[in-house]
Amino acid sequence: MLWIFLTAAAAPLQVARNALQRGLVGDAGPWGATLVRFLFGLPFSLSLFAVVALLTPGAAPHFSWRFAAAVAIGGLSQIGATAALLVAMRRAGFAVATVLQQSSLPLAALFGWALLGDALRPHAWAGIALTTAGLAVLSWPRRDQLQGVGLGSALGLASGAAFAVALNAYRQAGLALEPHHAIYSATASVCAAQAIQSAFLVAVLAVWRPGVLGAVAQSWRPSLGAGFFGAAASACWFGALAMAPAGPVRAVGVIEAPIAAAAGRRLFKERLSARQLAGGALAAAGVAITALG
């Protein structure tokens, strides 16, 4: 039962990380806030991996081109997904964007089925259909908000799709590196991905928008908070996944949606309409049913 408590702890930690990142968008922009997630999370992830490595003396990592390609694809997809999520939070609202990002689970199942040959049970397809209906209800904007919310909803769905690619890529990276020690392989893959992501974003921003790097440096205090909460959330997710299948873990992780709604209302004074609440409930139910598949 420990995996349930770890998953329950990961949800508020992830919401806290997203909330801190959202606050950084105004000063550093979405790409600067995206860099914060990886650059300031890397020291905490390295520290976590050092502990895991000490506790896993029998691990025998196998570095290969398959591992490198999977980490690179996952890392670049996660960069795009994070930036899209941060912009979606400002356009469509914190809670709505977070629920839309949950589409990563059914989309990950679809990508895994189409590209990797993962088998899906009938009730998993039912969950995907229910999630799609819920996301359609949730993302349909009012007439007076057509431009802002419409774009925000599209970015939220794009974030979910990119996260789905990253999830499948990271799964492949873990299997390629050390399939017999799940926590060791997962934390090592996260460290490798964050190193690639940090180097890539720093290099691109140094040429494209050097001022963003200065804004990131000036906001180092809240950035450390975002990095810490991100690393802590990842530690809980990986610990839970080492003890239980991904489906039940992600099903319990759906509690992130109501936590995000509460955070959005308290921190950002956001209110959800009855239609948005109904759509969010349908999407959360569909994600849970899909996860159980």
Side-chain angles (χ1 to χ4, degrees):
M1 300 297 289
L2 178 59
W3 68 269
I4 295 178
F5 294 103
L6 289 173
T7 306
L13 288 170
Q14 189 159 294
V15 171
R17 183 206 65 200
N18 289 339
L20 288 171
Q21 280 186 287
R22 185 187 191 273
L24 294 169
V25 172
D27 297 329
W31 292 110
T34 301
L35 172 61
V36 162
R37 171 178 182 174
F38 307 124
L39 182 62
F40 289 87
L42 182 58
F44 297 106
S45 296
L46 288 171
S47 300
L48 173 63
F49 173 68
V51 174
V52 172
L54 289 174
L55 298 176
T56 317
H62 176 67
F63 296 96
S64 63
W65 285 109
R66 177 189 171 194
F67 171 75
V71 168
I73 292 172
L76 294 177
S77 298
Q78 194 174 14
I79 287 175
T82 302
L85 176 62
L86 292 173
V87 177
M89 286 178 179
R90 294 181 65 87
R91 293 276 188 168
F94 182 79
V96 173
T98 300
V99 174
L100 285 168
Q101 185 268 328
Q102 297 292 336
S103 65
S104 61
L105 193 151
L107 290 175
L110 281 171
F111 293 165
W113 168 76
L115 302 177
L116 304 176
D118 292 338
L120 292 178
R121 297 177 181 177
H123 68 274
W125 289 113
I128 291 172
L130 186 59
T131 301
T132 302
L135 293 176
V137 173
L138 178 65
S139 60
W140 195 268
R142 299 194 306 266
R143 291 184 179 181
D144 60 336
Q145 296 179 321
L146 184 61
Q147 182 176 358
V149 175
L151 177 59
S153 298
L155 287 171
L157 291 173
S159 174
F163 274 126
V165 173
L167 286 171
N168 281 288
Y170 288 151
R171 174 172 177 264
Q172 293 301 308
L175 293 174
L177 182 64
E178 172 51 285
H180 303 295
H181 295 85
I183 297 181
Y184 177 94
S185 185
T187 52
S189 298
V190 169
C191 290
Q194 287 186 338
I196 293 173
Q197 291 162 330
S198 299
F200 175 81
L201 282 173
V202 168
V204 170
L205 291 175
V207 175
W208 183 35
R209 292 186 178 179
V212 171
L213 295 179
V216 169
Q218 292 177 358
S219 60
W220 65 271
R221 289 182 184 274
S223 296
L224 281 176
F228 169 77
F229 282 115
S234 296
C236 290
W237 284 120
F238 293 137
L241 289 169
M243 301 175 188
V249 171
R250 290 296 291 145
V252 175
V254 172
I255 64 172
E256 178 187 353
I259 293 174
R265 181 170 183 176
R266 183 172 183 84
L267 298 178
F268 309 121
K269 309 303 181 183
E270 297 176 354
R271 293 183 180 274
L272 301 181
S273 66
R275 176 180 57 80
Q276 289 173 328
L277 289 172
L282 281 175
V287 168
I289 293 173
T290 304
L292 294 174

